[in-house]
mmCIF file of all heavy atoms in Angstrom:
data_model
loop_
_atom_site.group_PDB
_atom_site.id
_atom_site.type_symbol
_atom_site.label_atom_id
_atom_site.label_comp_id
_atom_site.label_asym_id
_atom_site.label_seq_id
_atom_site.Cartn_x
_atom_site.Cartn_y
_atom_site.Cartn_z
ATOM 1 N N PRO A 216 13.620 -7.083 19.376
ATOM 2 C CA PRO A 216 13.771 -5.688 18.950
ATOM 3 C C PRO A 216 13.079 -5.392 17.617
ATOM 4 O O PRO A 216 12.925 -6.265 16.764
ATOM 5 C CB PRO A 216 15.286 -5.500 18.816
ATOM 6 C CG PRO A 216 15.916 -6.753 19.233
ATOM 7 C CD PRO A 216 14.884 -7.798 19.467
ATOM 8 N N PHE A 217 12.726 -4.109 17.490
ATOM 9 C CA PHE A 217 12.082 -3.608 16.275
ATOM 10 C C PHE A 217 12.954 -2.490 15.708
ATOM 11 O O PHE A 217 13.530 -1.703 16.460
ATOM 12 C CB PHE A 217 10.689 -3.063 16.622
ATOM 13 C CG PHE A 217 10.101 -2.246 15.511
ATOM 14 C CD1 PHE A 217 9.497 -2.874 14.436
ATOM 15 C CD2 PHE A 217 10.193 -0.855 15.517
ATOM 16 C CE1 PHE A 217 8.994 -2.124 13.382
ATOM 17 C CE2 PHE A 217 9.692 -0.108 14.472
ATOM 18 C CZ PHE A 217 9.082 -0.745 13.402
ATOM 19 N N ILE A 218 13.068 -2.437 14.400
ATOM 20 C CA ILE A 218 13.833 -1.338 13.801
ATOM 21 C C ILE A 218 13.105 -0.797 12.569
ATOM 22 O O ILE A 218 12.598 -1.567 11.750
ATOM 23 C CB ILE A 218 15.295 -1.772 13.484
ATOM 24 C CG1 ILE A 218 16.139 -0.591 13.007
ATOM 25 C CG2 ILE A 218 15.366 -2.918 12.470
ATOM 26 C CD1 ILE A 218 17.643 -0.821 13.109
ATOM 27 N N GLY A 219 13.011 0.524 12.482
ATOM 28 C CA GLY A 219 12.391 1.174 11.317
ATOM 29 C C GLY A 219 13.471 1.424 10.276
ATOM 30 O O GLY A 219 14.588 1.836 10.611
ATOM 31 N N VAL A 220 13.162 1.164 9.004
ATOM 32 C CA VAL A 220 14.164 1.306 7.944
ATOM 33 C C VAL A 220 13.718 2.365 6.940
ATOM 34 O O VAL A 220 12.545 2.441 6.563
ATOM 35 C CB VAL A 220 14.398 -0.060 7.229
ATOM 36 C CG1 VAL A 220 15.296 0.099 6.003
ATOM 37 C CG2 VAL A 220 14.996 -1.076 8.205
ATOM 38 N N ASN A 221 14.684 3.176 6.532
ATOM 39 C CA ASN A 221 14.470 4.158 5.471
ATOM 40 C C ASN A 221 14.449 3.393 4.136
ATOM 41 O O ASN A 221 15.417 2.708 3.794
ATOM 42 C CB ASN A 221 15.626 5.171 5.517
ATOM 43 C CG ASN A 221 15.507 6.239 4.455
ATOM 44 O OD1 ASN A 221 15.067 5.990 3.335
ATOM 45 N ND2 ASN A 221 15.938 7.449 4.797
ATOM 46 N N HIS A 222 13.356 3.525 3.415
ATOM 47 C CA HIS A 222 13.185 2.781 2.154
ATOM 48 C C HIS A 222 14.344 3.034 1.176
ATOM 49 O O HIS A 222 14.792 2.117 0.478
ATOM 50 C CB HIS A 222 11.853 3.213 1.533
ATOM 51 C CG HIS A 222 11.524 2.560 0.237
ATOM 52 N ND1 HIS A 222 10.903 1.338 0.156
ATOM 53 C CD2 HIS A 222 11.739 2.953 -1.046
ATOM 54 C CE1 HIS A 222 10.746 1.012 -1.114
ATOM 55 N NE2 HIS A 222 11.234 1.984 -1.872
ATOM 56 N N LEU A 223 14.841 4.264 1.131
ATOM 57 C CA LEU A 223 15.910 4.601 0.186
ATOM 58 C C LEU A 223 17.217 3.919 0.584
ATOM 59 O O LEU A 223 17.962 3.416 -0.251
ATOM 60 C CB LEU A 223 16.108 6.121 0.118
ATOM 61 C CG LEU A 223 14.868 6.887 -0.336
ATOM 62 C CD1 LEU A 223 15.067 8.385 -0.174
ATOM 63 C CD2 LEU A 223 14.556 6.545 -1.789
ATOM 64 N N GLU A 224 17.469 3.890 1.887
ATOM 65 C CA GLU A 224 18.647 3.162 2.362
ATOM 66 C C GLU A 224 18.468 1.677 2.060
ATOM 67 O O GLU A 224 19.418 0.981 1.690
ATOM 68 C CB GLU A 224 18.865 3.378 3.867
ATOM 69 C CG GLU A 224 20.163 2.721 4.319
ATOM 70 C CD GLU A 224 20.469 2.865 5.796
ATOM 71 O OE1 GLU A 224 19.536 2.975 6.602
ATOM 72 O OE2 GLU A 224 21.666 2.844 6.126
ATOM 73 N N GLY A 225 17.231 1.197 2.190
ATOM 74 C CA GLY A 225 16.925 -0.196 1.849
ATOM 75 C C GLY A 225 17.346 -0.502 0.420
ATOM 76 O O GLY A 225 18.045 -1.489 0.164
ATOM 77 N N HIS A 226 16.976 0.367 -0.530
ATOM 78 C CA HIS A 226 17.363 0.123 -1.930
ATOM 79 C C HIS A 226 18.880 -0.049 -2.039
ATOM 80 O O HIS A 226 19.358 -0.922 -2.767
ATOM 81 C CB HIS A 226 16.889 1.271 -2.824
ATOM 82 C CG HIS A 226 15.485 1.099 -3.339
ATOM 83 N ND1 HIS A 226 15.097 -0.004 -4.078
ATOM 84 C CD2 HIS A 226 14.372 1.878 -3.226
ATOM 85 C CE1 HIS A 226 13.818 0.109 -4.401
ATOM 86 N NE2 HIS A 226 13.348 1.231 -3.888
ATOM 87 N N ILE A 227 19.625 0.780 -1.338
ATOM 88 C CA ILE A 227 21.096 0.684 -1.407
ATOM 89 C C ILE A 227 21.560 -0.668 -0.853
ATOM 90 O O ILE A 227 22.479 -1.293 -1.387
ATOM 91 C CB ILE A 227 21.752 1.877 -0.660
ATOM 92 C CG1 ILE A 227 21.429 3.178 -1.411
ATOM 93 C CG2 ILE A 227 23.267 1.674 -0.514
ATOM 94 C CD1 ILE A 227 21.867 4.451 -0.710
ATOM 95 N N PHE A 228 20.891 -1.159 0.184
ATOM 96 C CA PHE A 228 21.283 -2.446 0.787
ATOM 97 C C PHE A 228 20.946 -3.648 -0.103
ATOM 98 O O PHE A 228 21.452 -4.755 0.143
ATOM 99 C CB PHE A 228 20.664 -2.610 2.184
ATOM 100 C CG PHE A 228 21.578 -2.115 3.261
ATOM 101 C CD1 PHE A 228 21.608 -0.771 3.595
ATOM 102 C CD2 PHE A 228 22.432 -2.975 3.923
ATOM 103 C CE1 PHE A 228 22.472 -0.294 4.571
ATOM 104 C CE2 PHE A 228 23.300 -2.522 4.904
ATOM 105 C CZ PHE A 228 23.318 -1.171 5.235
ATOM 106 N N ALA A 229 20.099 -3.452 -1.120
ATOM 107 C CA ALA A 229 19.823 -4.558 -2.048
ATOM 108 C C ALA A 229 21.141 -5.054 -2.640
ATOM 109 O O ALA A 229 21.341 -6.248 -2.858
ATOM 110 C CB ALA A 229 18.888 -4.090 -3.154
ATOM 111 N N ASN A 230 22.035 -4.105 -2.878
ATOM 112 C CA ASN A 230 23.327 -4.479 -3.458
ATOM 113 C C ASN A 230 24.170 -5.320 -2.509
ATOM 114 O O ASN A 230 24.969 -6.153 -2.934
ATOM 115 C CB ASN A 230 24.089 -3.208 -3.846
ATOM 116 C CG ASN A 230 25.428 -3.520 -4.474
ATOM 117 O OD1 ASN A 230 25.461 -4.036 -5.575
ATOM 118 N ND2 ASN A 230 26.513 -3.244 -3.761
ATOM 119 N N ARG A 231 23.981 -5.129 -1.212
ATOM 120 C CA ARG A 231 24.758 -5.897 -0.237
ATOM 121 C C ARG A 231 24.343 -7.374 -0.265
ATOM 122 O O ARG A 231 25.151 -8.256 0.035
ATOM 123 C CB ARG A 231 24.563 -5.311 1.165
ATOM 124 C CG ARG A 231 25.520 -5.891 2.174
ATOM 125 C CD ARG A 231 25.655 -5.012 3.395
ATOM 126 N NE ARG A 231 26.805 -5.418 4.159
ATOM 127 C CZ ARG A 231 26.736 -6.070 5.318
ATOM 128 N NH1 ARG A 231 25.569 -6.374 5.844
ATOM 129 N NH2 ARG A 231 27.843 -6.415 5.942
ATOM 130 N N LEU A 232 23.078 -7.612 -0.635
ATOM 131 C CA LEU A 232 22.609 -8.997 -0.710
ATOM 132 C C LEU A 232 23.196 -9.707 -1.926
ATOM 133 O O LEU A 232 23.572 -10.870 -1.854
ATOM 134 C CB LEU A 232 21.079 -9.024 -0.792
ATOM 135 C CG LEU A 232 20.348 -8.564 0.462
ATOM 136 C CD1 LEU A 232 18.857 -8.462 0.191
ATOM 137 C CD2 LEU A 232 20.610 -9.533 1.610
ATOM 138 N N SER A 233 23.259 -8.992 -3.052
ATOM 139 C CA SER A 233 23.738 -9.656 -4.272
ATOM 140 C C SER A 233 25.255 -9.593 -4.398
ATOM 141 O O SER A 233 25.863 -10.459 -5.025
ATOM 142 C CB SER A 233 23.077 -9.039 -5.504
ATOM 143 O OG SER A 233 23.168 -7.643 -5.494
ATOM 144 N N GLU A 234 25.873 -8.571 -3.845
ATOM 145 C CA GLU A 234 27.328 -8.398 -3.960
ATOM 146 C C GLU A 234 27.909 -8.074 -2.589
ATOM 147 O O GLU A 234 28.367 -6.956 -2.347
ATOM 148 C CB GLU A 234 27.650 -7.226 -4.914
ATOM 149 C CG GLU A 234 27.160 -7.396 -6.317
ATOM 150 C CD GLU A 234 28.074 -8.285 -7.162
ATOM 151 O OE1 GLU A 234 29.179 -8.643 -6.697
ATOM 152 O OE2 GLU A 234 27.659 -8.621 -8.280
ATOM 153 N N PRO A 235 27.902 -9.051 -1.672
ATOM 154 C CA PRO A 235 28.340 -8.733 -0.301
ATOM 155 C C PRO A 235 29.777 -8.194 -0.241
ATOM 156 O O PRO A 235 30.138 -7.510 0.709
ATOM 157 C CB PRO A 235 28.235 -10.080 0.430
ATOM 158 C CG PRO A 235 27.454 -10.968 -0.456
ATOM 159 C CD PRO A 235 27.528 -10.443 -1.852
ATOM 160 N N ALA A 236 30.564 -8.471 -1.297
ATOM 161 C CA ALA A 236 31.958 -8.014 -1.261
ATOM 162 C C ALA A 236 32.122 -6.574 -1.737
ATOM 163 O O ALA A 236 33.171 -5.954 -1.509
ATOM 164 C CB ALA A 236 32.811 -8.942 -2.124
ATOM 165 N N SER A 237 31.104 -6.022 -2.396
ATOM 166 C CA SER A 237 31.250 -4.658 -2.930
ATOM 167 C C SER A 237 30.877 -3.637 -1.859
ATOM 168 O O SER A 237 29.886 -2.922 -1.963
ATOM 169 C CB SER A 237 30.367 -4.470 -4.153
ATOM 170 O OG SER A 237 29.002 -4.541 -3.776
ATOM 171 N N ASN A 238 31.693 -3.575 -0.831
ATOM 172 C CA ASN A 238 31.414 -2.673 0.290
ATOM 173 C C ASN A 238 31.700 -1.226 -0.076
ATOM 174 O O ASN A 238 32.441 -0.958 -1.006
ATOM 175 C CB ASN A 238 32.266 -3.092 1.484
ATOM 176 C CG ASN A 238 31.703 -4.326 2.145
ATOM 177 O OD1 ASN A 238 30.494 -4.427 2.365
ATOM 178 N ND2 ASN A 238 32.561 -5.296 2.427
ATOM 179 N N PRO A 239 31.140 -0.258 0.683
ATOM 180 C CA PRO A 239 31.516 1.139 0.469
ATOM 181 C C PRO A 239 33.032 1.290 0.703
ATOM 182 O O PRO A 239 33.614 0.427 1.354
ATOM 183 C CB PRO A 239 30.715 1.889 1.537
ATOM 184 C CG PRO A 239 29.655 0.937 1.999
ATOM 185 C CD PRO A 239 30.190 -0.429 1.770
ATOM 186 N N PRO A 240 33.668 2.343 0.193
ATOM 187 C CA PRO A 240 33.037 3.517 -0.426
ATOM 188 C C PRO A 240 32.550 3.251 -1.850
ATOM 189 O O PRO A 240 33.231 2.604 -2.625
ATOM 190 C CB PRO A 240 34.167 4.544 -0.421
ATOM 191 C CG PRO A 240 35.433 3.744 -0.457
ATOM 192 C CD PRO A 240 35.132 2.487 0.297
ATOM 193 N N PHE A 241 31.369 3.819 -2.152
ATOM 194 C CA PHE A 241 30.881 3.814 -3.531
ATOM 195 C C PHE A 241 29.884 4.951 -3.740
ATOM 196 O O PHE A 241 29.404 5.567 -2.796
ATOM 197 C CB PHE A 241 30.256 2.461 -3.904
ATOM 198 C CG PHE A 241 29.153 1.944 -3.006
ATOM 199 C CD1 PHE A 241 27.928 2.595 -2.900
ATOM 200 C CD2 PHE A 241 29.338 0.748 -2.296
ATOM 201 C CE1 PHE A 241 26.909 2.082 -2.103
ATOM 202 C CE2 PHE A 241 28.311 0.232 -1.486
ATOM 203 C CZ PHE A 241 27.104 0.905 -1.390
ATOM 204 N N MET A 242 29.603 5.215 -5.014
ATOM 205 C CA MET A 242 28.541 6.155 -5.368
ATOM 206 C C MET A 242 27.312 5.306 -5.632
ATOM 207 O O MET A 242 27.437 4.221 -6.220
ATOM 208 C CB MET A 242 28.940 6.933 -6.635
ATOM 209 C CG MET A 242 27.956 7.994 -7.068
ATOM 210 S SD MET A 242 27.685 9.326 -5.864
ATOM 211 C CE MET A 242 29.242 10.188 -5.905
ATOM 212 N N ALA A 243 26.148 5.745 -5.156
ATOM 213 C CA ALA A 243 24.915 5.011 -5.430
ATOM 214 C C ALA A 243 23.987 5.876 -6.280
ATOM 215 O O ALA A 243 23.777 7.052 -5.975
ATOM 216 C CB ALA A 243 24.223 4.625 -4.132
ATOM 217 N N LEU A 244 23.472 5.289 -7.346
ATOM 218 C CA LEU A 244 22.415 5.932 -8.124
ATOM 219 C C LEU A 244 21.121 5.240 -7.710
ATOM 220 O O LEU A 244 20.929 4.053 -7.965
ATOM 221 C CB LEU A 244 22.664 5.758 -9.628
ATOM 222 C CG LEU A 244 21.525 6.199 -10.560
ATOM 223 C CD1 LEU A 244 21.245 7.701 -10.456
ATOM 224 C CD2 LEU A 244 21.834 5.839 -12.020
ATOM 225 N N VAL A 245 20.257 5.989 -7.000
ATOM 226 C CA VAL A 245 18.976 5.447 -6.556
ATOM 227 C C VAL A 245 17.926 5.964 -7.532
ATOM 228 O O VAL A 245 17.629 7.163 -7.563
ATOM 229 C CB VAL A 245 18.630 5.895 -5.115
ATOM 230 C CG1 VAL A 245 17.333 5.239 -4.642
ATOM 231 C CG2 VAL A 245 19.773 5.574 -4.155
ATOM 232 N N VAL A 246 17.406 5.068 -8.351
ATOM 233 C CA VAL A 246 16.545 5.520 -9.438
ATOM 234 C C VAL A 246 15.276 4.657 -9.461
ATOM 235 O O VAL A 246 15.307 3.479 -9.774
ATOM 236 C CB VAL A 246 17.359 5.535 -10.762
ATOM 237 C CG1 VAL A 246 17.838 4.167 -11.186
ATOM 238 C CG2 VAL A 246 16.612 6.195 -11.882
#
Side-chain angles (χ1 to χ4, degrees):
F217 166 81
I218 186 161
V220 172
N221 180 324
H222 180 85
L223 300 171
E224 185 180 29
H226 273 303
I227 294 173
F228 268 84
N230 181 69
R231 190 160 194 253
L232 292 173
S233 50
E234 299 280 352
S237 66
N238 284 315
F241 54 66
M242 183 62 69
L244 171 63
V245 184
V246 63

